Amino acid sequence: MNGPALRAVIADDQALVRTGFGMILAADGIEVTAEAADGAEAVDAVRRTRPDVVLMDIRMPRMDGIEATRHILGSGIQGGEGTRVIILTTYDLDHYVYAALTAGASGFLLKDVTPEHLVAAVRLVRSGDALLAPTITRRLIERFAHRQESPPNGLRHDLSGLTPRELEVLRLLATGLSNAELADRLFLSPTTVKTHVGRILSKLDLRDRVQAVVLAYESGLISPQHPPGTN
């Protein structure tokens, strides 16, 4: 492996989940720097160990995963710079997941994730990409994008600076497609797609693809009446 070892914190109020995920990550050479049983412990663990990635459960005592994510990503706590958060959830998606994404999480995993997918997700997010499944993306749109709420703080952007091609890429990106899938859909090379995505993030001052997806919903570029991937 090249470069420093990937470091992760696992935050979940179930000890068996923490142990199981920890064993999976350790077996692939990912260092688990700390475990946390609630959000407050997770914030402290990030402050102490400065991990690359946090696997964050949503429903925990004292401080839930949403508030912990806000503390880590939005409050500028020492040690949180560059840390990415992956939200752990169950099949029953609820409003907490959308809140986590708007708080800056880089995506989410279902708790029945396979070991291979867990490791791949942690490495993907650490590399600066984001994790957003198309099926869950559609459910987010259906349940929340129709609400006439103000965009989350920092996501009130003008899309007029994007080229027609970049707008097209953003619309498709909002379905949760990977760069390879975008390349196939648009008949472009993966390198060209990566360049387009990078320019979109730079022009809109966004951290990653998840923020781009949230912005696409909140700005009205994507709507429940015109689901992603349809004409």
Side-chain angles (χ1 to χ4, degrees):
M1 294 176 60
N2 297 323
L6 197 162
R7 294 157 53 83
V9 163
I10 302 172
D12 195 291
D13 60 348
Q14 299 181 51
L16 285 177
V17 172
R18 299 196 305 271
T19 300
F21 280 10
M23 291 175 64
I24 291 168
L25 296 182
D28 202 73
I30 297 172
E31 179 186 356
V32 178
T33 62
E35 294 183 7
D38 60 51
E41 288 184 9
V43 172
D44 181 64
V46 170
R47 190 177 284 120
R48 288 185 293 103
T49 69
R50 301 171 183 250
D52 300 295
V53 177
V54 180
L55 292 174
M56 183 79 76
D57 189 19
I58 292 180
R59 298 176 182 175
M60 296 183 290
R62 285 213 295 164
M63 180 189 291
D64 66 26
I66 309 302
E67 190 62 26
T69 297
R70 289 195 187 103
H71 273 73
I72 292 168
L73 301 179
S75 301
I77 68 167
Q78 186 176 8
E81 303 87 353
T83 297
R84 302 280 177 156
V85 175
I86 299 176
I87 296 296
L88 299 174
T89 186
T90 63
Y91 280 114
D92 296 320
L93 184 70
D94 55 33
H95 70 280
Y96 293 117
V97 173
Y98 189 78
L101 296 182
T102 57
S106 292
F108 45 86
L109 289 173
L110 298 175
K111 285 192 177 181
D112 67 345
V113 63
T114 65
E116 296 78 13
H117 192 185
L118 175 66
V119 169
V122 171
R123 293 194 180 282
L124 176 74
V125 167
R126 193 261 194 129
S127 72
D129 212 328
L131 189 72
L132 203 58
T135 54
I136 302 180
T137 299
R138 290 189 204 99
R139 291 171 67 185
L140 285 171
I141 299 170
E142 291 167 2
R143 294 187 64 173
F144 304 111
H146 68 281
R147 296 180 179 177
Q148 300 301 312
E149 298 174 347
S150 297
N153 191 28
L155 290 181
R156 201 182 290 270
H157 291 282
D158 181 2
L159 302 182
S160 63
L162 300 183
T163 66
R165 175 63 95 181
E166 288 165 351
L167 282 171
E168 184 179 19
V169 170
L170 180 57
R171 286 192 186 96
L172 291 175
L173 186 154
T175 70
L177 295 182
S178 67
N179 281 358
E181 291 165 334
L182 284 169
D184 288 342
R185 182 74 64 87
L186 297 172
F187 303 103
L188 299 172
S189 72
T191 300
T192 300
V193 168
K194 185 175 181 179
T195 298
H196 281 311
V197 172
R199 285 176 178 165
I200 290 167
L201 299 183
S202 177
K203 286 182 177 182
L204 299 178
D205 193 25
L206 301 173
R207 173 177 23 218
D208 57 29
R209 298 164 73 96
V210 167
Q211 286 197 333
V213 171
V214 172
L215 181 146
Y217 306 155
E218 297 289 355
S219 68
L221 183 65
I222 299 298
S223 72
Q225 290 73 33
H226 299 89
T230 64
N231 296 318

